[in-house]
Amino acid sequence: KIDPLTGLLSEQGFYEEAQKEVERFRRYKNPVSLVAFQIHCKDQSRELPCLCQCASVIKASCRINDIVGRLSNNQIICLLAETNEEQAMFATKKFLMNIKARQQEPYQINAGVIQYQGAVGISDAVFAACSDASKNGDSLWINQKES
């Protein structure tokens, strides 16, 4: 259930834990939001250190009840329990500021934020958040350190 590279939940581990939160959402109607981060390292040979450093900062910045996992390659997903979209946007800005403050490698990070509404499965909602991060390439979410 744990990704050996980053120490975050693996994709399978993330979905198992996220499903529990979806069940709580259905029962109590507390808001749930997803934040997807996509990391792009300038130097392809340094992608793994960039990913690990970013994962470490995100993990340290999360609350104890947030669920954080590594998806394929350069993506990290956070499920923010009891958090609406506006609060998730604020949290995302905090994540990005923390990443910038601790950034040691030159890389770009994009983020996508959505509030889970329950109309689709959690995997579809994660896909939507990741797609949002992918298309935010030129938006205010870019956080890049020049070397």
Side-chain angles (χ1 to χ4, degrees):
K1 290 186 179 186
I2 302 294
D3 175 59
L5 182 66
T6 62
L8 301 177
L9 290 170
S10 66
E11 188 166 350
Q12 179 184 348
F14 172 81
Y15 281 115
E16 286 177 15
E17 294 301 313
Q19 193 57 46
K20 295 173 189 175
E21 197 57 46
V22 167
E23 293 304 318
R24 277 192 278 285
F25 164 81
R26 288 184 181 138
R27 178 175 229 174
Y28 302 111
K29 304 298 184 215
N30 292 334
V32 172
S33 291
L34 295 162
V35 181
F37 295 97
Q38 194 163 53
I39 298 98
H40 303 281
C41 193
K42 283 188 170 191
D43 180 356
Q44 296 252 333
S45 69
R46 302 292 299 159
E47 279 188 2
L48 294 180
C50 290
L51 177 66
C52 291
Q53 192 260 329
C54 190
S56 175
V57 174
I58 291 171
K59 186 175 182 180
S61 301
C62 281
R63 303 169 301 179
I64 196 163
N65 62 334
D66 294 334
I67 302 168
V68 185
R70 177 184 177 204
L71 300 180
S72 61
N73 299 328
N74 61 349
Q75 294 180 325
I76 296 172
I77 188 77
C78 299
L79 184 148
L80 306 178
E82 299 185 19
T83 305
N84 64 32
E85 189 171 15
E86 183 179 331
Q87 294 165 327
M89 295 288 269
F90 181 79
T92 302
K93 289 178 184 180
K94 182 183 92 170
F95 288 136
L96 294 174
M97 287 188 325
N98 290 343
I99 291 166
K100 183 177 184 178
R102 295 179 182 100
Q103 193 170 5
Q104 298 170 353
E105 301 276 346
Y107 60 85
Q108 173 181 309
I109 183 166
N110 300 343
V113 179
I114 66 162
Q115 183 172 337
Y116 181 71
Q117 301 293 332
V120 297
I122 191 68
S123 59
D124 290 336
V126 166
F127 179 79
C130 291
S131 294
D132 194 33
S134 294
K135 68 182 176 189
N136 278 334
D138 295 321
S139 76
L140 68 113
W141 293 113
I142 290 179
N143 181 4
Q144 185 173 359
K145 180 179 178 179
E146 296 297 329
S147 54

